Amino acid sequence: MRGVVVPLVTPFNEDYSIDFPALEEHTEFLQKVGVHGIFINATTGEFTSLNLDERKLLAEKGRELVKSAFYLVGTASSNTFEVVELTKHAQDIGADYVVIAPPYYCPLNDDALFAHYSTVAESTDIPIILYNIPSCANPLSVSLIRRLALEYSNISGVKETIDSVNHIRDVILEVKGERNDFRVFTGLDQHFLNTLVLGGDGGIMACANFAPEVHLALWKAFQEKRFEDAFEHARRLAKLSRVYDVASSFGSAIKLAMSLRGFSIKPVLRPPYTIDGDDVKENIRKLLAEVLG
């Protein structure tokens, strides 16, 4: 798997129930425009606000809906045995990959993190994408990623939601350099182009929920060696990524942007997250108008 992967929002109704018609509409849209992968139960999907049954139900529904793209399921938890349970479930329903962020809340050293991922890797066969998001969970060091990738063939890639070109460079050189089938994705829209330039494989980026045409245009231009066009699309993504600075959370930024662009997904977040007010919405509107017209 390479290219543009979308970490899907979870649509909610006003009563906080899951809006399955909106989920179906959005997955159909993303497949129609040609994204390479769709990732359900992601950070952007507010997975920490879903219970175990809801996560399984969403994974099953997503498997029904995603036909023309790779299908990824998030199975992270701070409970190792819950990760194993969710990962086995994703494997059983036919997901192509699972994406596993490290445990959060409890600080863990590299040996503890290695043991956590080892337990999952040894319990399942489905390809695993590590998810490094140090702003929200225990960080994954380059040496730990390398150790896991070389020890377990089913640990097949990493999503790097980290604002560090040097870290991504080192993962590509030290991990992908030794195992060339290991995939490296950025989780940040503004790092998409430089990740590709360094030898990475794509991006799993939240702004692709509402502006996938920009990500896909960058990917296509880069593959076709139309670098001036790629540079222009990268500059647009760099501006677009400022949506995260305007809002109070990833979810609020993305759902407000989607509502402003005419998607049917409602600007509703489950508590404890809250949707930002009209002042933030207006700032996002101005940003979208500047970048997308």
Side-chain angles (χ1 to χ4, degrees), residues 70-99:
F70 287 102
Y71 182 53
L72 300 80
V73 175
T75 61
S77 170
S78 282
N79 179 328
T80 300
F81 301 117
E82 198 169 89
V83 178
V84 171
E85 180 181 345
L86 288 167
T87 302
K88 285 183 174 178
H89 177 261
Q91 178 174 296
D92 290 344
I93 66 172
D96 297 305
Y97 296 86
V98 292
V99 185

Side-chain angles (χ1 to χ4, degrees), residues 80-285:
T80 300
F81 301 117
E82 198 169 89
V83 178
V84 171
E85 180 181 345
L86 288 167
T87 302
K88 285 183 174 178
H89 177 261
Q91 178 174 296
D92 290 344
I93 66 172
D96 297 305
Y97 296 86
V98 292
V99 185
I100 308 177
Y104 34 88
Y105 185 72
C106 300
L108 300 171
N109 63 23
D110 278 8
D111 287 340
L113 290 167
F114 182 83
H116 172 76
Y117 281 107
S118 295
T119 299
V120 183
E122 291 172 7
S123 301
T124 59
D125 299 317
I126 190 169
I128 294 168
I129 295 176
L130 307 173
Y131 184 177
N132 190 26
I133 182 166
S135 62
C136 299
N138 282 282
L140 300 180
S141 65
V142 176
S143 60
L144 175 60
I145 295 168
R146 179 180 179 276
R147 183 180 171 194
L148 286 165
L150 297 183
E151 181 73 21
Y152 296 103
S153 61
N154 57 331
I155 293 181
S156 58
V158 63
K159 175 185 177 182
E160 290 287 357
T161 304
I162 182 170
D163 194 16
S164 170
V165 174
N166 288 347
H167 175 90
I168 295 170
R169 174 203 65 191
D170 291 345
V171 170
I172 290 168
L173 293 176
E174 297 181 27
V175 186
K176 193 176 174 69
E178 288 197 50
R179 185 181 151 190
N180 61 14
D181 67 334
F182 188 82
R183 301 301 186 209
V184 179
F185 299 92
T186 181
L188 297 175
D189 307 81
Q190 66 268 32
H191 282 300
F192 190 24
L193 180 58
N194 59 262
T195 298
L196 297 177
V197 170
L198 289 167
D201 300 282
I204 305 175
M205 303 158 291
C207 287
N209 275 285
F210 65 83
E213 67 275 14
V214 184
H215 303 76
L216 289 165
L218 191 159
W219 171 259
K220 190 171 189 289
F222 187 81
Q223 298 307 308
E224 295 175 355
K225 297 181 170 53
R226 292 183 286 106
F227 296 124
E228 287 296 332
D229 290 340
F231 297 157
E232 177 55 33
H233 297 311
R235 285 190 283 269
R236 294 173 72 201
L237 281 185
K239 292 178 182 176
L240 208 59
S241 70
R242 298 186 73 181
V243 70
Y244 303 128
D245 301 327
V246 173
S248 61
S249 68
F250 284 152
S252 183
I254 301 305
K255 284 185 173 177
L256 284 173
M258 292 182 77
S259 69
L260 286 163
R261 293 212 79 194
F263 290 93
S264 64
I265 289 173
K266 303 172 184 68
V268 175
L269 301 173
R270 270 197 182 172
Y273 293 107
T274 57
I275 205 79
D276 289 303
D278 288 342
D279 53 341
V280 171
K281 186 175 182 178
E282 177 60 18
N283 287 334
I284 293 175
R285 187 197 65 76

Side-chain angles (χ1 to χ4, degrees), residues 25-74:
E25 180 181 319
H26 193 44
T27 53
E28 287 179 356
F29 162 76
L30 292 171
Q31 290 175 93
K32 185 176 181 180
V33 299
V35 303
H36 303 99
I38 293 176
F39 169 22
I40 208 157
N41 290 336
T43 301
T44 311
E46 302 169 63
F47 79 89
T48 56
S49 299
L50 301 168
N51 64 40
L52 203 64
D53 288 340
E54 288 174 323
R55 292 179 68 180
K56 289 181 178 179
L57 181 60
L58 276 166
E60 292 163 8
K61 187 64 176 177
R63 178 65 289 178
E64 293 174 15
L65 297 173
V66 178
K67 303 296 184 186
S68 61
F70 287 102
Y71 182 53
L72 300 80
V73 175

